[in-house]
Amino acid sequence: MSRMRWRQALVPGTYVLMAAIAVVFAHSAIEGDTGLRALREATALEARLQGELALVEAERAIIRNRVFSLAGPEIDPDILDERARVVLGVGHTEDVLIRP
């Protein structure tokens, strides 16, 4: 085979190979571990976790307020009494218990 024939056979083969490599890279960019689909899933997960974080922070604020009302310089006697009864599982002799 002459050089011209080799060149005529090699050039289209090179283009096919380059096109195949480009297709593989494009597929990886869309479907790969760090592709567009993974980015979309990570964004959705971030939004869900931000919602959970907001709920946890609200619960934390409520608990913090209750703790500060029990540990501050002026302790609220009603809250202290309520928490002591719940934790110890006891009641006062004058308490009226209502069962559902």
Side-chain angles (χ1 to χ4, degrees):
M1 223 181 221
S2 69
R3 286 185 149 195
M4 189 56 107
R5 285 194 177 191
W6 273 104
R7 187 170 292 201
Q8 287 176 347
L10 188 61
V11 169
T14 304
Y15 287 141
V16 169
L17 179 64
M18 289 172 45
I21 290 172
V23 167
V24 168
F25 281 133
H27 181 267
S28 294
I30 294 171
E31 299 289 333
D33 291 339
T34 58
L36 295 176
R37 182 173 291 182
L39 177 64
R40 192 176 328 125
E41 290 173 0
T43 304
L45 177 64
E46 179 188 13
R48 185 176 58 84
L49 291 176
Q50 288 290 341
E52 288 182 23
L53 177 64
L55 290 174
V56 169
E57 286 177 344
E59 288 180 29
R60 183 174 181 238
I62 291 170
I63 292 171
R64 179 185 291 169
N65 289 338
R66 293 183 78 186
V67 167
F68 284 143
S69 67
L70 290 174
E74 296 179 11
I75 298 175
D76 187 5
D78 291 332
I79 295 178
L80 180 62
D81 187 48
E82 172 192 347
R83 292 308 307 155
R85 289 176 193 219
V86 168
V87 170
L88 297 175
V90 297
H92 195 270
T93 56
E94 297 175 0
D95 285 345
V96 177
L97 299 177
I98 301 173
R99 292 189 175 188

